Amino acid sequence: MEKVSVIIPVYNKFDKLFSAIDSALSQDYPELEIIVSDDGSKDFPFRKVEEYILEKKQDHLFNYEIIANKKNMGTVRNMNGAIKASHGDILINLAGDDRFCEKNTVSKIVDYMNQNSLDNLVCRRKTVEDNFIPNDRQVKFLKKFNTANKQKKAIVNGYLLASGSVFSIRKQLIDRLDLYDERYILIEDMPFFYKMTQNNIKINFNYDITSVVYSEDGVSGVKNKKFQTDEKNFLVNIIKSKENDTDIKRVAKYRLIRKYRYNNLKKISKIKFYIDYLDIIMYRMFDFINDRVGEKLDKIKRR
């Protein structure tokens, strides 16, 4: 029986933490480890967390770890520290403000990975209002990215291909890829997914499994300037990398200029920008139109 480590990163907000822990402890999987890792919060309730786990734990919990980092290191290093402390064969992420949807969520994930010989899996998530991410229309769009190379281009294009909040991976694979990239502070998933596809490792999906109830305004949902800095650095690193081909670099440069530099360009430079990147703009516009047409068709079908 493979062991599973549920990794629960947390920072400052603790109102939903015990709900997250409870959803992990309630899983029916027989070999479970829970790693709670706090990223240097001022008032992390270490003893309450430990008491809660000890009170609620059952025989299937073979180990637990509570990590209280003395200073804030950022999501990436916090996650890496938790991974290094884990003992599971499969690692499943669970943000400290999310919760597993069902008591058999972990079992579903492991069974699907084993039945299909997968080393990684991305599932679906839903909000507290029962809105699915991705929704059915987006699922149809995302399914066309069915190879590692197509997924790599989709990630650089900025399409929301996958989220670390619903990501499971075999420990062996994440060790082989050298953990999450510590050049970044808060974004652990996007650079890692890109690294996977760069190594010709496909991201696997099962949208029939909705694994977590997702908190959009918490640890795993709020973006800030550090997120933007990470994203800019991610695009710059793609442009500078000798491993990337010209097409990938052009898309990264387009996104970098359009999202972070365009508003500061002079009028003539904006015109030149559109001329230089017309092919990328048309490609993205085609995807946008298809997406909107699909949305309208879905509304008609529901009537």
Side-chain angles (χ1 to χ4, degrees):
M1 175 66 67
E2 291 176 300
K3 294 180 178 180
V4 171
S5 296
V6 175
I7 293 179
I8 306 177
V10 61
Y11 178 60
N12 278 344
K13 292 186 177 182
F14 311 118
D15 55 321
K16 297 175 182 177
L17 174 59
F18 292 95
S19 174
I21 294 171
D22 192 57
S23 76
L25 289 169
S26 300
Q27 292 300 300
D28 64 5
Y29 191 77
E31 289 288 337
L32 199 71
E33 175 183 55
I34 293 176
I35 310 285
V36 179
S37 186
D38 177 70
D39 191 18
S41 302
K42 292 181 180 178
D43 302 308
F44 176 60
F46 186 101
R47 292 197 177 190
K48 285 185 179 179
V49 170
E50 185 168 42
E51 287 170 2
Y52 191 84
I53 292 174
L54 290 172
E55 180 186 347
K56 298 277 187 175
K57 78 181 185 74
Q58 300 174 43
D59 292 341
H60 70 316
L61 188 71
F62 72 84
N63 186 49
Y64 73 89
E65 297 278 349
I66 305 170
I67 302 169
N69 292 302
K70 293 181 179 179
K71 63 179 182 179
N72 179 251
M73 303 182 297
T75 303
V76 178
R77 291 188 177 184
N78 187 36
M79 287 291 290
N80 281 345
I83 291 167
K84 291 173 184 176
S86 68
H87 302 87
D89 303 296
I90 295 175
L91 311 179
I92 298 179
N93 293 346
L94 179 67
D97 46 6
D98 297 346
R99 69 178 187 274
F100 286 125
C101 287
E102 300 173 296
K103 291 184 178 181
N104 64 343
T105 297
V106 169
S107 294
K108 282 183 179 180
I109 291 170
V110 175
D111 287 347
Y112 187 82
M113 289 179 72
N114 286 335
Q115 288 167 11
N116 294 277
S117 301
L118 303 180
D119 54 13
N120 73 87
L121 184 66
V122 171
C123 298
R124 218 176 193 184
R125 49 190 166 148
K126 68 176 181 178
T127 67
V128 291
E129 293 84 14
D130 282 339
N131 297 317
F132 290 96
I133 306 172
N135 59 38
D136 291 343
R137 173 177 49 82
Q138 291 166 335
V139 166
K140 291 178 183 177
F141 173 73
L142 294 173
K143 280 185 175 179
K144 72 178 185 177
F145 303 109
N146 55 8
T147 67
N149 192 51
K150 288 179 181 179
Q151 290 174 349
K152 180 170 69 172
K153 290 180 180 177
I155 292 167
V156 180
N157 262 299
Y159 298 143
L160 189 58
L161 194 63
S163 168
S165 63
V166 283
F167 184 48
S168 304
I169 186 170
R170 293 191 185 277
K171 180 82 173 290
Q172 192 175 29
L173 175 58
I174 200 166
D175 285 343
R176 179 158 68 88
L177 293 176
D178 296 328
L179 302 177
Y180 293 116
D181 193 335
E182 294 189 1
R183 290 179 296 176
Y184 308 100
I185 300 170
L186 297 181
I187 299 179
E188 87 289 356
D189 48 6
M190 182 168 57
F192 189 80
F193 289 138
Y194 185 76
K195 189 194 296 186
M196 283 175 57
T197 58
Q198 207 172 22
N199 283 273
N200 202 32
I201 300 168
K202 190 175 81 167
I203 305 166
N204 302 298
F205 302 91
N206 185 348
Y207 297 123
D208 292 331
I209 299 176
T210 303
S211 59
V212 303
V213 178
Y214 177 73
S215 176
E216 296 178 288
D217 61 349
V219 175
S220 54
V222 174
K223 291 192 175 183
N224 56 34
K225 289 183 178 180
K226 288 182 180 179
F227 268 93
Q228 293 174 351
T229 300
D230 273 354
E231 186 176 41
K232 282 190 281 187
N233 289 338
F234 173 64
L235 295 171
V236 168
N237 287 333
I238 289 174
I239 295 165
K240 288 181 177 180
S241 174
K242 294 179 181 179
E243 297 178 14
N244 294 316
D245 58 41
T246 304
D247 288 343
I248 289 288
K249 290 183 178 183
R250 282 192 75 243
V251 174
K253 193 171 182 181
Y254 163 81
R255 281 194 63 215
L256 183 66
I257 296 171
R258 185 66 187 89
K259 191 167 184 180
Y260 294 107
R261 299 175 183 173
Y262 180 82
N263 291 337
N264 296 323
L265 295 178
K266 294 180 180 179
K267 189 174 182 179
I268 188 69
S269 296
K270 289 181 178 179
I271 295 171
K272 186 177 183 302
F273 168 78
Y274 280 108
I275 294 171
D276 290 343
Y277 295 99
L278 183 61
D279 57 328
I280 295 174
I281 293 166
M282 293 299 292
Y283 174 82
R284 293 171 69 86
M285 189 177 294
F286 178 76
D287 277 343
F288 177 80
I289 291 170
N290 276 347
D291 186 48
R292 288 296 170 266
V293 169
E295 184 179 12
K296 288 183 179 179
L297 288 174
D298 285 345
K299 286 181 179 178
I300 293 170
K301 287 177 182 178
R302 287 195 293 267
R303 287 176 184 173

